[in-house]
Amino acid sequence: MTVPRPGLPERVTIYEVGPRDGLQNEKSLVSAAVKAEFIERLAKAGLEWIETTSFVHPKWVPQLADASEVLASLGESARAHSRPVLVPNERGLDRAIESGVTSIAIFGSATETFAQRNLGRSVEESFEMFAPVVARAKDAGMWVRAYISMCFGDPWEGAVPIEQVVQVSSRLMELGADALSIGDTIGVGTAGHVAALIEALDAAGVRPDRVGVHFHDTYGQALANTLEALRNGVTVVDASTGGLGGCPYAKSATGNLATEDLVWALQGLGIETGVDLDALVSTSTWMAEQLGRPSPSRVVRALSGAS
Ligand code: MG
């Protein structure tokens, strides 16, 4: 049953991260052909924005070592603005340009410890690395998204001050990013914290229409946090079909918000997503077979009749 509520957007853009963030955090490797089929099935299910793969060095992300092959099998569709690829640095950007993609995502950190562990440099040094990547990408006419990890809590540093996230966000926007993705990498955020962060970003000139939210369901808060973000003007939500991808830094195997869980909640509110939930569930069921494990998404389990 659909029961709309005032104060929520009429339409939400789902930014699908399953093929990249999902698969890069799965233990099982799947072939380039399966990855390409996965992306094509997601697009057919109505997902417009799909992050397809990553040009992070295969030494760090062996699951996505076949990025070029995946993009080649996708053909012309991989060149759409709505098919970003993750790039860590200028070498990654070179590979993205060579492959013909027109959108990229870079990834920064709100905390020093995670910047050191994930990027091998300080937060300040990471801006030096990003500056030429963003400048060159913009010169090439690309759309640039900037992820920020550990925006709510950090496993080494604990709670992350809102002001720290605002500073990193503002710097990335100043570099020329078109959009941000605010990540709760270990899933510890709660609704009040979400609202306070979005308000603080807005007050600093980072408007909610430039902000996407990336919640993890580690503590079961991803949907509650999403609704709070929508109430505060955000209309872009990251999700991973089937809930693919745990997080190596979080305490449980539960990671990304499942796209099906998100679509179910939005459908109930009458919020348009363009997604065919049944097609998505059958895609997740198929992908779970490829990975040899069931989907952690409760909506997938309920709708697919799995126990
Ligand atoms: Mg994630």
Side-chain angles (χ1 to χ4, degrees):
M1 186 165 151
T2 299
V3 184
R5 299 293 294 161
L8 292 169
E10 285 178 12
R11 189 183 166 83
V12 161
T13 299
I14 298 177
Y15 185 99
E16 171 64 39
V17 299
R20 197 280 300 168
D21 185 18
L23 291 181
Q24 88 169 43
N25 290 306
E26 290 289 336
K27 288 191 190 83
S28 310
L29 295 178
V30 297
S31 69
V34 167
K35 287 169 181 148
E37 183 177 347
F38 184 40
I39 293 161
E40 280 161 0
R41 289 176 75 142
L42 294 174
K44 272 198 199 119
L47 286 160
E48 185 189 350
W49 284 83
I50 305 171
E51 197 166 285
T52 52
T53 186
S54 161
F55 280 126
V56 170
H57 196 284
K59 182 177 153 195
W60 304 113
V61 185
Q63 291 91 336
L64 303 180
D66 54 7
S68 299
E69 203 183 326
V70 172
L71 293 172
S73 355
L74 291 171
E76 198 53 38
S77 69
R79 296 167 181 259
H81 240 42
S82 53
R83 294 289 182 276
V85 169
L86 196 74
V87 307
N89 50 31
E90 286 196 89
R91 177 70 194 112
L93 177 66
D94 291 338
R95 293 176 66 198
I97 290 170
E98 281 161 27
S99 69
V101 303
T102 60
S103 290
I104 60 162
I106 59 172
F107 52 100
S109 170
T111 68
E112 285 297 334
T113 313
F114 192 68
Q116 290 290 353
R117 287 182 174 252
N118 198 42
L119 304 167
R121 63 202 74 219
S122 68
V123 169
E124 192 58 40
E125 287 163 348
S126 70
F127 293 130
E128 290 164 24
M129 176 172 74
F130 297 140
V133 174
V134 178
R136 287 181 50 208
K138 295 308 295 176
D139 279 349
M142 289 175 150
W143 181 85
V144 179
R145 168 182 241 224
Y147 282 100
I148 307 173
S149 292
M150 305 298 176
C151 291
F152 293 85
D154 172 292
W156 301 279
E157 299 185 18
V160 177
I162 284 174
E163 190 46 41
Q164 201 169 309
V165 181
V166 170
Q167 277 179 20
V168 171
S169 301
S170 301
R171 289 283 296 275
L172 288 166
M173 293 305 283
E174 281 161 19
L175 285 183
D178 294 289
L180 297 179
S181 172
I182 299 297
D184 185 7
T185 313
I186 55 171
V188 295
T190 45
H193 194 165
V194 171
L197 176 55
I198 294 166
E199 283 169 10
L201 285 167
D202 197 2
V206 182
R207 306 291 176 220
D209 63 1
R210 308 292 285 277
V211 173
V213 286
H214 186 111
F215 293 124
H216 282 191
D217 210 27
T218 323
Y219 294 84
Q221 303 303 303
L223 272 180
N225 290 344
T226 299
L227 289 179
E228 193 57 38
L230 299 183
R231 273 191 206 104
N232 284 277
V234 168
T235 59
V236 176
V237 180
D238 295 7
S240 176
T241 288
L244 288 180
C247 171
Y249 305 99
K251 283 180 181 160
S252 86
T254 311
N256 291 309
L257 168 63
T259 311
E260 291 89 344
D261 295 14
L262 174 62
V263 171
W264 177 270
L266 297 180
Q267 276 186 358
L269 285 159
I271 297 173
E272 186 59 44
T273 64
V275 174
D276 176 342
L277 186 55
D278 291 335
L280 211 52
V281 168
S282 66
T283 299
S284 280
T285 307
W286 166 80
M287 197 59 196
E289 283 163 17
Q290 310 298 316
L291 291 166
R293 62 141 188 78
S295 165
S297 159
R298 276 176 269 182
V299 170
V300 171
R301 289 185 190 198
L303 294 183
S304 66
S307 55

